[in-house]
Amino acid sequence: MPAPSPDPVDAPSLSERPGADLLTEAGGEIEFDAVTADVTADESRHQLEERKLGIGFWVATAWLVVLVLLAFLAPWLPFVQDPNEIDALALRQPVAWQDGGSWNGSASDTLHLLGGDDLGRDIFSRVIWGARVSLFVGVAAVALGFLIGGTIGLTAGYFRGQYEKIVMAAMDIMLAFPALILALAIVVFLSEPGSQEATLRTITLTLTILSIPALARITRASTLTFSQREFVQAARTLGARNGRILVREILPNVIPPMVSFSLIAVAIVIVAEGALSFLGLSVSAPTATWGNMINEGRTALEFAPHIALVPCAVMFLTLLSLNYVGDQLRRRFDVKEVRL
Amino acid sequence: MARKKVVLTSPTAAGDKLDGPLLEVEDLRTHFLTPAGTVRAVDGVSFTLARGETLGIVGESGSGKTVLSRSIMGLLPSRNVVRQGAIRYQGHSISDYSQEQMRSVWGTEMGMIFQDPMTSLNPVMKIGNQITESLRYHLDMDKGEARDTAIALLTSVGIPEPAQRFGEYPHQLSGGMRQRVMIAVSLACGPRLLFADEPTTALDVTVQAQILDLLHQQQRERHMAIILVTHDLGVVAGRTDHIAVMYAGKVVEKAPTSVLFSEMRMPYTEALLNSIPRLEDSSHTRLKIIGGRPPDLINPPTGCNFSPRCPYAQPRCFTDEPPLRPADTAGHEFACWYPVGTPEGTKALEDNVAAGVPAAVLATGGEPALADQGASA
Amino acid sequence: MRYALGKLVQLVVVLVIVTFLTFMLINLLPGGPEAAILGFGADDESIAQLQEDLSLNDPIPIRYARWLGDAVTGDLGQSYVNGSTVSELLGARLPVTLALMTYAMFLALLVAVPFGIATAWKADTRFDKITGTVSFALLSVPNFIMATLLVYLFAINQDWFPATVKEGDENLYTLFLPALSLALGQIAVFLRLLRTDMIATLQEDYIGVAKAKGMTNRRILFRHAFRPSSFSLLTVAGITIGNLIGGTVIIEQIFGINGIGKLIVFSIFQRDYLVVQGVVVVIAAGFVIINFAVDLLYALLDPRIRHARAIA
């Protein structure tokens, strides 16, 4: 029995093991005798799941789309203010629908939908600008991670041999460090006093490095399953070159599971970025990030809990949506859990 | 559900109705509710079993024989399963029993041996404990007593060095040895009825006979009844008193064993028998395969379930379902409009061969145009 | 035994590489080990002196061997911030962190095991579905959000637990919220894993056999099904310790607990690199060793592996 892979990234998806069919899943222990009936029942169940993607999926997708749009367009949207502009009258102003909050900016001239923070900055705008950091780091790190880790995994799973052993051993060594500790070490190592952009680059790079081993392992595992298939063997026998087989035969099959997994990976990277910025090690204040907003808000938790809780809620909903959509897509693509 | 007082726990106590049959099954139906529809895995099965007798239940995989035995024992999950009909054990209507009440039947009154000894023993539990746990639970034995009994059991099922094996894990034994252990496990509390579900299918041919002999020997010593479920008529031939042939959830023929082999009436029984390889055949004899597949149990065909594959099938077979009716010999019943070995049957087969019906041609060993297609279907 | 021996060799190799990487961290820093030891802004003279004293101009393998030798005997250098040795700092801080992690792991298993078993037994019922939804949601809550929320709910809104833990006052009560913040995410992981494995196990023939033997449901669940279902849980619990270590860094920060997590963050901000190095090497080595122990335990619990490996 192979031990489950120690990918930290793998954790949320560990529990799904496809294949438990309806009859047996009913808590029984019967090995159902009627083979033909079993097959038909399974098929119809599959079709049933194919059809419905559920309202939850669309709500989650809608949330993500809106968030991405807001984040992307933030500098040009009229209702998104400068995240660092201080409105002294909005100091610790609660969210609009609560006592003390306001819909029309009665205290000050401007609307603070989600209230103001400890310095009187608009929380709504800060959350949107924070999303820019989180989403950028999340997407960029996972994309780069897949580019590097994916290539490593693909070649390791295809060529096997000494190369695979060495490469995967290197991945295992990286996984031998607890993830956040490794992140801290790399941040320390990479960080040099510099501009905000430099820090953003450092964080993205750190989280890319961190995500490589897990992504490499996952890619390798699915490559392994496909490189044994008939169509690949056939291509080999026909004398196709390795590069061609990798790109034309294996890659198209490996990509769908990667795509559905990438959403979950983005969620994990966002958490990591949040943790680092919570500790003050990511893009530093006054630039808004979800992590440092939550951290700053904690001091006012007693008097103005919304300062911390609003970014908490936004972050939670975003992570939940990413995980949920990723999970649903994975089921839909019927990606078998590949762990080795 | 009414709680009934059950006094079935002691295996040595004289049964309440020693004269009656041990087990009576009446019109048992077990249906699975699936999203695709209702699967009629067992569809109206009746039989009786006397003490110490062996009943063979024979059929292809998918015929409902495994579901039947688990259904009688009450081992099916309760959700999405509908079980109807009466099951009486020593006169007690156990089909009305709750799980709690069944627990006093399981192990002590009825035992079950599963098909695959590789999977039916708990891999992380020592062999000894798998035997002693039921001894201690059902018979209130203390540790030492249970250990001695278990070692005695291991000895009696032919395990060498039983005291040493007692402390070992299943994976340390061969398949045949494991099935012996499995027999010891199920016999521990002295059941009066043993279900053996394909007990030799997963074993090497050389070991199969040993296991069957062992079962037979244990049966004689314990005066235990056995329901032997198998797809292989060869297995039941010499070792059962009665045989019931199942097809698509129904019993299509049943008879005392010798009668069944000499006077079989049901074409399906004949087809099963023909599919057994025989030593006296020359090495190049083609095995006669039963063409086609078992029917869809959600939407069974109208008429006789076997008609689409039957070499004897006539128009009537596709419209009217034949009832189970008595044959000439007492205790022999079958369900067929054109029985094997009768003038009607012989004529039906000849007509079909003449007309080139693939099933008929295949069954008589010809080489029709469609034979390969039929065989590979 | 050969299995254990092979694993041991593997352990040593991984440990050497991990410690080497940690060692190199300081050497590759801008300013190098000189800056790490003296801090930035030291004058050239003292740097030269230090290089002389510590033979910093020797080749790297030799310096690594020397450093490792010192580290093994407990000499991890000195904090340039307050002058205490790294070992002293670790000795003072490590126990709290270990206690917090153990507490969290205990809480997580305490909830996850019974719920995992129950949801597997009652698979697809309303109870199972609700538990599944809740645990899915829990997976999406980072521990710093969880901690913030718990502090708000149970320390500020309701005055049930303290929001910060004073040094010397660490006990099961004061550490409850920190441990719970760490545990809740793990509960979801453990529960879902155990549920899936239990469902698979409950379909095994030997469970049917146990039922046919007339064993009670309780006995079937705990005696027959739980153990064979717990192997991946065990492995994941071992790996999870890595998550917990990362988690404690943040949780200690939030609750003001004086553990190594707070130490490492503080030291990073102070650019107190020898302390960072010391903490990282201890944590990484500890993590590697724990996973090694889990591997052995795994083999010990599963007789199939034990024997297969013994023969191989």
Side-chain angles (χ1 to χ4, degrees), chain A residues 1 12 15-17 29 176 180 188-189 275 279 305 320 323, chain C residues 28 140 152 192 196-197 202 211 246 250 254 269 273 287 298:
Chain A
M1 183 198 273
S15 67
E16 243 54 57
R17 185 181 292 174
E29 45 277 341
L180 190 71
V188 168
F189 175 64
L279 294 173
L320 188 65
N323 285 334
Chain C
L28 293 174
S140 304
Y152 174 67
R192 287 160 55 108
T196 321
D197 283 359
L202 286 175
K211 199 174 172 192
I250 293 169
I254 294 177
F269 280 116
Y273 291 121
F287 184 51
Y298 187 81

PDB file of all heavy atoms in Angstrom, chain A residues 1 12 15-17 29 176 180 188-189 275 279 305 320 323, chain C residues 28 140 152 192 196-197 202 211 246 250 254 269 273 287 298:
ATOM      1  N   MET A   1       0.857  -1.209   0.000  1.00  0.00           N
ATOM      2  CA  MET A   1       0.000   0.000   0.000  1.00  0.00           C
ATOM      3  C   MET A   1       0.882   1.244   0.000  1.00  0.00           C
ATOM      4  O   MET A   1       1.673   1.437   0.898  1.00  0.00           O
ATOM      5  CB  MET A   1      -0.857  -0.022   1.270  1.00  0.00           C
ATOM      6  CG  MET A   1      -1.829   1.143   1.346  1.00  0.00           C
ATOM      7  SD  MET A   1      -2.416   1.359   3.034  1.00  0.00           S
ATOM      8  CE  MET A   1      -3.789   0.232   3.018  1.00  0.00           C
ATOM      9  N   PRO A  12      -6.228  19.057   0.906  1.00  0.00           N
ATOM     10  CA  PRO A  12      -7.672  19.212   0.850  1.00  0.00           C
ATOM     11  C   PRO A  12      -8.328  18.173  -0.028  1.00  0.00           C
ATOM     12  O   PRO A  12      -9.505  17.898   0.109  1.00  0.00           O
ATOM     13  CB  PRO A  12      -7.865  20.607   0.250  1.00  0.00           C
ATOM     14  CG  PRO A  12      -6.542  21.248   0.294  1.00  0.00           C
ATOM     15  CD  PRO A  12      -5.526  20.167   0.330  1.00  0.00           C
ATOM     16  N   SER A  15      -9.228  13.318   0.553  1.00  0.00           N
ATOM     17  CA  SER A  15     -10.296  12.456   1.039  1.00  0.00           C
ATOM     18  C   SER A  15     -11.109  11.828  -0.083  1.00  0.00           C
ATOM     19  O   SER A  15     -11.806  10.858   0.136  1.00  0.00           O
ATOM     20  CB  SER A  15     -11.223  13.258   1.922  1.00  0.00           C
ATOM     21  OG  SER A  15     -11.865  14.205   1.122  1.00  0.00           O
ATOM     22  N   GLU A  16     -11.020  12.369  -1.259  1.00  0.00           N
ATOM     23  CA  GLU A  16     -11.898  11.846  -2.295  1.00  0.00           C
ATOM     24  C   GLU A  16     -11.301  10.593  -2.909  1.00  0.00           C
ATOM     25  O   GLU A  16     -10.220  10.612  -3.432  1.00  0.00           O
ATOM     26  CB  GLU A  16     -12.095  12.904  -3.373  1.00  0.00           C
ATOM     27  CG  GLU A  16     -13.508  13.359  -3.503  1.00  0.00           C
ATOM     28  CD  GLU A  16     -14.096  13.840  -2.201  1.00  0.00           C
ATOM     29  OE1 GLU A  16     -13.542  14.751  -1.589  1.00  0.00           O
ATOM     30  OE2 GLU A  16     -15.127  13.277  -1.794  1.00  0.00           O
ATOM     31  N   ARG A  17     -11.969   9.539  -2.806  1.00  0.00           N
ATOM     32  CA  ARG A  17     -11.522   8.355  -3.517  1.00  0.00           C
ATOM     33  C   ARG A  17     -12.653   7.908  -4.405  1.00  0.00           C
ATOM     34  O   ARG A  17     -13.689   7.470  -3.933  1.00  0.00           O
ATOM     35  CB  ARG A  17     -11.149   7.244  -2.539  1.00  0.00           C
ATOM     36  CG  ARG A  17     -10.560   6.046  -3.260  1.00  0.00           C
ATOM     37  CD  ARG A  17     -10.211   4.959  -2.298  1.00  0.00           C
ATOM     38  NE  ARG A  17      -9.118   5.344  -1.441  1.00  0.00           N
ATOM     39  CZ  ARG A  17      -8.712   4.570  -0.430  1.00  0.00           C
ATOM     40  NH1 ARG A  17      -9.308   3.449  -0.162  1.00  0.00           N
ATOM     41  NH2 ARG A  17      -7.721   4.959   0.315  1.00  0.00           N
ATOM     42  N   GLU A  29     -22.065  -4.206   2.733  1.00  0.00           N
ATOM     43  CA  GLU A  29     -20.816  -4.864   2.457  1.00  0.00           C
ATOM     44  C   GLU A  29     -21.001  -5.938   1.410  1.00  0.00           C
ATOM     45  O   GLU A  29     -20.288  -6.894   1.341  1.00  0.00           O
ATOM     46  CB  GLU A  29     -20.232  -5.449   3.742  1.00  0.00           C
ATOM     47  CG  GLU A  29     -21.190  -6.181   4.610  1.00  0.00           C
ATOM     48  CD  GLU A  29     -21.970  -5.237   5.508  1.00  0.00           C
ATOM     49  OE1 GLU A  29     -21.531  -4.100   5.702  1.00  0.00           O
ATOM     50  OE2 GLU A  29     -23.029  -5.644   5.985  1.00  0.00           O
ATOM     51  N   ALA A 176      10.796  18.077   2.808  1.00  0.00           N
ATOM     52  CA  ALA A 176      11.228  17.711   4.152  1.00  0.00           C
ATOM     53  C   ALA A 176      11.215  18.918   5.080  1.00  0.00           C
ATOM     54  O   ALA A 176      11.253  18.766   6.293  1.00  0.00           O
ATOM     55  CB  ALA A 176      12.631  17.100   4.106  1.00  0.00           C
ATOM     56  N   LEU A 180       5.789  26.484   5.761  1.00  0.00           N
ATOM     57  CA  LEU A 180       5.904  27.900   6.140  1.00  0.00           C
ATOM     58  C   LEU A 180       7.315  28.234   6.596  1.00  0.00           C
ATOM     59  O   LEU A 180       7.816  29.332   6.359  1.00  0.00           O
ATOM     60  CB  LEU A 180       4.884  28.236   7.236  1.00  0.00           C
ATOM     61  CG  LEU A 180       4.789  29.742   7.487  1.00  0.00           C
ATOM     62  CD1 LEU A 180       4.100  30.452   6.336  1.00  0.00           C
ATOM     63  CD2 LEU A 180       4.076  30.048   8.782  1.00  0.00           C
ATOM     64  N   VAL A 188      13.649  35.329   3.851  1.00  0.00           N
ATOM     65  CA  VAL A 188      14.804  35.955   4.488  1.00  0.00           C
ATOM     66  C   VAL A 188      15.952  36.016   3.505  1.00  0.00           C
ATOM     67  O   VAL A 188      16.629  37.030   3.345  1.00  0.00           O
ATOM     68  CB  VAL A 188      15.238  35.146   5.732  1.00  0.00           C
ATOM     69  CG1 VAL A 188      16.602  35.623   6.213  1.00  0.00           C
ATOM     70  CG2 VAL A 188      14.212  35.291   6.821  1.00  0.00           C
ATOM     71  N   PHE A 189      16.146  34.909   2.817  1.00  0.00           N
ATOM     72  CA  PHE A 189      17.267  34.805   1.909  1.00  0.00           C
ATOM     73  C   PHE A 189      17.118  35.745   0.712  1.00  0.00           C
ATOM     74  O   PHE A 189      18.070  36.382   0.293  1.00  0.00           O
ATOM     75  CB  PHE A 189      17.389  33.355   1.446  1.00  0.00           C
ATOM     76  CG  PHE A 189      18.443  33.152   0.420  1.00  0.00           C
ATOM     77  CD1 PHE A 189      19.776  33.378   0.739  1.00  0.00           C
ATOM     78  CD2 PHE A 189      18.114  32.759  -0.856  1.00  0.00           C
ATOM     79  CE1 PHE A 189      20.750  33.200  -0.217  1.00  0.00           C
ATOM     80  CE2 PHE A 189      19.091  32.575  -1.809  1.00  0.00           C
ATOM     81  CZ  PHE A 189      20.414  32.801  -1.489  1.00  0.00           C
ATOM     82  N   ALA A 275      -0.613  34.354   5.098  1.00  0.00           N
ATOM     83  CA  ALA A 275       0.130  34.090   6.327  1.00  0.00           C
ATOM     84  C   ALA A 275       1.381  34.965   6.399  1.00  0.00           C
ATOM     85  O   ALA A 275       1.672  35.568   7.430  1.00  0.00           O
ATOM     86  CB  ALA A 275       0.508  32.618   6.395  1.00  0.00           C
ATOM     87  N   LEU A 279       2.159  38.078   8.946  1.00  0.00           N
ATOM     88  CA  LEU A 279       3.353  38.205   9.780  1.00  0.00           C
ATOM     89  C   LEU A 279       4.155  39.450   9.426  1.00  0.00           C
ATOM     90  O   LEU A 279       5.145  39.763  10.075  1.00  0.00           O
ATOM     91  CB  LEU A 279       4.251  36.972   9.608  1.00  0.00           C
ATOM     92  CG  LEU A 279       3.677  35.660  10.122  1.00  0.00           C
ATOM     93  CD1 LEU A 279       4.574  34.493   9.733  1.00  0.00           C
ATOM     94  CD2 LEU A 279       3.509  35.709  11.635  1.00  0.00           C
ATOM     95  N   PRO A 305     -14.781  45.484  15.315  1.00  0.00           N
ATOM     96  CA  PRO A 305     -14.406  44.143  14.815  1.00  0.00           C
ATOM     97  C   PRO A 305     -14.425  44.038  13.294  1.00  0.00           C
ATOM     98  O   PRO A 305     -13.717  43.220  12.732  1.00  0.00           O
ATOM     99  CB  PRO A 305     -15.456  43.222  15.442  1.00  0.00           C
ATOM    100  CG  PRO A 305     -16.575  44.112  15.857  1.00  0.00           C
ATOM    101  CD  PRO A 305     -15.970  45.444  16.174  1.00  0.00           C
ATOM    102  N   LEU A 320     -13.045  29.494  -0.252  1.00  0.00           N
ATOM    103  CA  LEU A 320     -14.118  28.503  -0.353  1.00  0.00           C
ATOM    104  C   LEU A 320     -14.525  28.328  -1.816  1.00  0.00           C
ATOM    105  O   LEU A 320     -14.678  27.213  -2.306  1.00  0.00           O
ATOM    106  CB  LEU A 320     -15.315  28.949   0.492  1.00  0.00           C
ATOM    107  CG  LEU A 320     -16.449  27.952   0.646  1.00  0.00           C
ATOM    108  CD1 LEU A 320     -15.976  26.723   1.403  1.00  0.00           C
ATOM    109  CD2 LEU A 320     -17.630  28.574   1.384  1.00  0.00           C
ATOM    110  N   ASN A 323     -11.785  26.468  -3.761  1.00  0.00           N
ATOM    111  CA  ASN A 323     -11.783  25.046  -3.427  1.00  0.00           C
ATOM    112  C   ASN A 323     -13.002  24.338  -4.003  1.00  0.00           C
ATOM    113  O   ASN A 323     -12.912  23.235  -4.522  1.00  0.00           O
ATOM    114  CB  ASN A 323     -11.754  24.854  -1.913  1.00  0.00           C
ATOM    115  CG  ASN A 323     -10.383  25.131  -1.340  1.00  0.00           C
ATOM    116  OD1 ASN A 323      -9.381  24.993  -2.033  1.00  0.00           O
ATOM    117  ND2 ASN A 323     -10.343  25.526  -0.078  1.00  0.00           N
TER     118      ASN A 323
ATOM    119  N   LEU C  28      25.037  32.139   2.007  1.00  0.00           N
ATOM    120  CA  LEU C  28      24.672  32.770   0.748  1.00  0.00           C
ATOM    121  C   LEU C  28      24.024  34.127   0.969  1.00  0.00           C
ATOM    122  O   LEU C  28      23.712  34.827   0.024  1.00  0.00           O
ATOM    123  CB  LEU C  28      23.719  31.852  -0.030  1.00  0.00           C
ATOM    124  CG  LEU C  28      24.358  30.546  -0.514  1.00  0.00           C
ATOM    125  CD1 LEU C  28      23.323  29.638  -1.136  1.00  0.00           C
ATOM    126  CD2 LEU C  28      25.473  30.833  -1.506  1.00  0.00           C
ATOM    127  N   SER C 140     -11.338  25.726   4.137  1.00  0.00           N
ATOM    128  CA  SER C 140     -11.078  26.998   3.477  1.00  0.00           C
ATOM    129  C   SER C 140     -10.812  28.126   4.468  1.00  0.00           C
ATOM    130  O   SER C 140     -10.801  29.287   4.093  1.00  0.00           O
ATOM    131  CB  SER C 140     -12.266  27.372   2.585  1.00  0.00           C
ATOM    132  OG  SER C 140     -12.517  26.344   1.672  1.00  0.00           O
ATOM    133  N   TYR C 152     -12.248  36.778  18.685  1.00  0.00           N
ATOM    134  CA  TYR C 152     -13.369  37.705  18.696  1.00  0.00           C
ATOM    135  C   TYR C 152     -14.566  37.087  19.417  1.00  0.00           C
ATOM    136  O   TYR C 152     -15.200  37.719  20.267  1.00  0.00           O
ATOM    137  CB  TYR C 152     -13.743  38.086  17.260  1.00  0.00           C
ATOM    138  CG  TYR C 152     -14.980  38.939  17.186  1.00  0.00           C
ATOM    139  CD1 TYR C 152     -14.977  40.237  17.706  1.00  0.00           C
ATOM    140  CD2 TYR C 152     -16.159  38.457  16.619  1.00  0.00           C
ATOM    141  CE1 TYR C 152     -16.106  41.029  17.659  1.00  0.00           C
ATOM    142  CE2 TYR C 152     -17.293  39.241  16.571  1.00  0.00           C
ATOM    143  CZ  TYR C 152     -17.260  40.535  17.100  1.00  0.00           C
ATOM    144  OH  TYR C 152     -18.386  41.302  17.062  1.00  0.00           O
ATOM    145  N   ARG C 192     -12.239  13.737   6.757  1.00  0.00           N
ATOM    146  CA  ARG C 192     -12.562  13.322   5.394  1.00  0.00           C
ATOM    147  C   ARG C 192     -11.734  12.112   4.988  1.00  0.00           C
ATOM    148  O   ARG C 192     -12.222  11.192   4.329  1.00  0.00           O
ATOM    149  CB  ARG C 192     -12.333  14.480   4.430  1.00  0.00           C
ATOM    150  CG  ARG C 192     -13.415  15.555   4.560  1.00  0.00           C
ATOM    151  CD  ARG C 192     -12.980  16.880   3.993  1.00  0.00           C
ATOM    152  NE  ARG C 192     -12.542  16.790   2.615  1.00  0.00           N
ATOM    153  CZ  ARG C 192     -13.246  17.271   1.591  1.00  0.00           C
ATOM    154  NH1 ARG C 192     -14.400  17.839   1.787  1.00  0.00           N
ATOM    155  NH2 ARG C 192     -12.791  17.173   0.378  1.00  0.00           N
ATOM    156  N   THR C 196     -13.364   8.341   4.146  1.00  0.00           N
ATOM    157  CA  THR C 196     -13.180   7.640   2.872  1.00  0.00           C
ATOM    158  C   THR C 196     -12.577   6.258   3.096  1.00  0.00           C
ATOM    159  O   THR C 196     -13.037   5.273   2.521  1.00  0.00           O
ATOM    160  CB  THR C 196     -12.233   8.434   1.962  1.00  0.00           C
ATOM    161  OG1 THR C 196     -12.527   9.811   2.119  1.00  0.00           O
ATOM    162  CG2 THR C 196     -12.411   8.032   0.536  1.00  0.00           C
ATOM    163  N   ASP C 197     -11.551   6.201   3.925  1.00  0.00           N
ATOM    164  CA  ASP C 197     -10.902   4.912   4.166  1.00  0.00           C
ATOM    165  C   ASP C 197     -11.833   3.945   4.877  1.00  0.00           C
ATOM    166  O   ASP C 197     -11.840   2.748   4.599  1.00  0.00           O
ATOM    167  CB  ASP C 197      -9.620   5.108   4.982  1.00  0.00           C
ATOM    168  CG  ASP C 197      -8.494   5.637   4.110  1.00  0.00           C
ATOM    169  OD1 ASP C 197      -8.735   5.816   2.906  1.00  0.00           O
ATOM    170  OD2 ASP C 197      -7.395   5.879   4.614  1.00  0.00           O
ATOM    171  N   LEU C 202     -15.272  -0.744   5.058  1.00  0.00           N
ATOM    172  CA  LEU C 202     -16.558  -1.359   5.404  1.00  0.00           C
ATOM    173  C   LEU C 202     -17.116  -2.195   4.252  1.00  0.00           C
ATOM    174  O   LEU C 202     -18.037  -2.977   4.432  1.00  0.00           O
ATOM    175  CB  LEU C 202     -17.569  -0.286   5.817  1.00  0.00           C
ATOM    176  CG  LEU C 202     -17.314   0.312   7.204  1.00  0.00           C
ATOM    177  CD1 LEU C 202     -18.277   1.453   7.479  1.00  0.00           C
ATOM    178  CD2 LEU C 202     -17.458  -0.753   8.280  1.00  0.00           C
ATOM    179  N   LYS C 211     -19.593  -9.526  10.499  1.00  0.00           N
ATOM    180  CA  LYS C 211     -21.033  -9.394  10.721  1.00  0.00           C
ATOM    181  C   LYS C 211     -21.676 -10.781  10.745  1.00  0.00           C
ATOM    182  O   LYS C 211     -22.518 -11.058  11.600  1.00  0.00           O
ATOM    183  CB  LYS C 211     -21.631  -8.542   9.597  1.00  0.00           C
ATOM    184  CG  LYS C 211     -22.978  -7.964   9.952  1.00  0.00           C
ATOM    185  CD  LYS C 211     -23.465  -7.010   8.874  1.00  0.00           C
ATOM    186  CE  LYS C 211     -24.890  -6.597   9.168  1.00  0.00           C
ATOM    187  NZ  LYS C 211     -25.526  -5.901   8.044  1.00  0.00           N
ATOM    188  N   GLY C 246       4.182  25.246  10.942  1.00  0.00           N
ATOM    189  CA  GLY C 246       3.935  26.514  10.274  1.00  0.00           C
ATOM    190  C   GLY C 246       2.833  27.282  10.974  1.00  0.00           C
ATOM    191  O   GLY C 246       2.925  28.487  11.190  1.00  0.00           O
ATOM    192  N   ILE C 250       2.309  31.401  13.318  1.00  0.00           N
ATOM    193  CA  ILE C 250       1.299  32.450  13.249  1.00  0.00           C
ATOM    194  C   ILE C 250       0.495  32.529  14.549  1.00  0.00           C
ATOM    195  O   ILE C 250       0.252  33.608  15.098  1.00  0.00           O
ATOM    196  CB  ILE C 250       0.367  32.168  12.059  1.00  0.00           C
ATOM    197  CG1 ILE C 250       1.169  32.322  10.781  1.00  0.00           C
ATOM    198  CG2 ILE C 250      -0.818  33.098  12.077  1.00  0.00           C
ATOM    199  CD1 ILE C 250       0.467  31.837   9.562  1.00  0.00           C
ATOM    200  N   ILE C 254      -0.244  35.574  17.231  1.00  0.00           N
ATOM    201  CA  ILE C 254      -1.564  36.128  17.559  1.00  0.00           C
ATOM    202  C   ILE C 254      -1.810  36.108  19.064  1.00  0.00           C
ATOM    203  O   ILE C 254      -2.313  37.075  19.637  1.00  0.00           O
ATOM    204  CB  ILE C 254      -2.665  35.334  16.824  1.00  0.00           C
ATOM    205  CG1 ILE C 254      -2.538  35.556  15.321  1.00  0.00           C
ATOM    206  CG2 ILE C 254      -4.052  35.741  17.314  1.00  0.00           C
ATOM    207  CD1 ILE C 254      -3.528  34.779  14.491  1.00  0.00           C
ATOM    208  N   PHE C 269      12.920  39.679  11.834  1.00  0.00           N
ATOM    209  CA  PHE C 269      12.842  41.136  11.786  1.00  0.00           C
ATOM    210  C   PHE C 269      14.115  41.773  12.321  1.00  0.00           C
ATOM    211  O   PHE C 269      14.511  42.830  11.884  1.00  0.00           O
ATOM    212  CB  PHE C 269      11.629  41.628  12.565  1.00  0.00           C
ATOM    213  CG  PHE C 269      10.366  41.505  11.766  1.00  0.00           C
ATOM    214  CD1 PHE C 269       9.339  40.655  12.162  1.00  0.00           C
ATOM    215  CD2 PHE C 269      10.216  42.232  10.594  1.00  0.00           C
ATOM    216  CE1 PHE C 269       8.190  40.534  11.405  1.00  0.00           C
ATOM    217  CE2 PHE C 269       9.057  42.121   9.838  1.00  0.00           C
ATOM    218  CZ  PHE C 269       8.045  41.264  10.236  1.00  0.00           C
ATOM    219  N   TYR C 273      20.370  36.273  12.237  1.00  0.00           N
ATOM    220  CA  TYR C 273      20.345  35.099  11.370  1.00  0.00           C
ATOM    221  C   TYR C 273      20.759  33.802  12.030  1.00  0.00           C
ATOM    222  O   TYR C 273      20.284  32.735  11.665  1.00  0.00           O
ATOM    223  CB  TYR C 273      21.185  35.354  10.119  1.00  0.00           C
ATOM    224  CG  TYR C 273      20.565  36.374   9.224  1.00  0.00           C
ATOM    225  CD1 TYR C 273      21.225  37.542   8.882  1.00  0.00           C
ATOM    226  CD2 TYR C 273      19.269  36.184   8.735  1.00  0.00           C
ATOM    227  CE1 TYR C 273      20.628  38.494   8.074  1.00  0.00           C
ATOM    228  CE2 TYR C 273      18.670  37.129   7.930  1.00  0.00           C
ATOM    229  CZ  TYR C 273      19.349  38.284   7.608  1.00  0.00           C
ATOM    230  OH  TYR C 273      18.754  39.203   6.819  1.00  0.00           O
ATOM    231  N   PHE C 287      11.140  17.628  12.088  1.00  0.00           N
ATOM    232  CA  PHE C 287      10.094  17.212  11.155  1.00  0.00           C
ATOM    233  C   PHE C 287      10.505  15.940  10.413  1.00  0.00           C
ATOM    234  O   PHE C 287       9.727  14.988  10.292  1.00  0.00           O
ATOM    235  CB  PHE C 287       9.832  18.359  10.183  1.00  0.00           C
ATOM    236  CG  PHE C 287       8.727  18.132   9.212  1.00  0.00           C
ATOM    237  CD1 PHE C 287       7.479  17.705   9.651  1.00  0.00           C
ATOM    238  CD2 PHE C 287       8.907  18.351   7.857  1.00  0.00           C
ATOM    239  CE1 PHE C 287       6.445  17.505   8.759  1.00  0.00           C
ATOM    240  CE2 PHE C 287       7.883  18.155   6.955  1.00  0.00           C
ATOM    241  CZ  PHE C 287       6.648  17.728   7.403  1.00  0.00           C
ATOM    242  N   TYR C 298       3.953   3.050  11.191  1.00  0.00           N
ATOM    243  CA  TYR C 298       3.085   2.579  10.136  1.00  0.00           C
ATOM    244  C   TYR C 298       3.354   1.096   9.877  1.00  0.00           C
ATOM    245  O   TYR C 298       2.458   0.272   9.828  1.00  0.00           O
ATOM    246  CB  TYR C 298       3.419   3.418   8.907  1.00  0.00           C
ATOM    247  CG  TYR C 298       2.560   3.259   7.711  1.00  0.00           C
ATOM    248  CD1 TYR C 298       1.348   3.912   7.635  1.00  0.00           C
ATOM    249  CD2 TYR C 298       2.983   2.500   6.637  1.00  0.00           C
ATOM    250  CE1 TYR C 298       0.563   3.798   6.504  1.00  0.00           C
ATOM    251  CE2 TYR C 298       2.205   2.392   5.511  1.00  0.00           C
ATOM    252  CZ  TYR C 298       0.996   3.039   5.447  1.00  0.00           C
ATOM    253  OH  TYR C 298       0.234   2.926   4.321  1.00  0.00           O
TER     254      TYR C 298
END
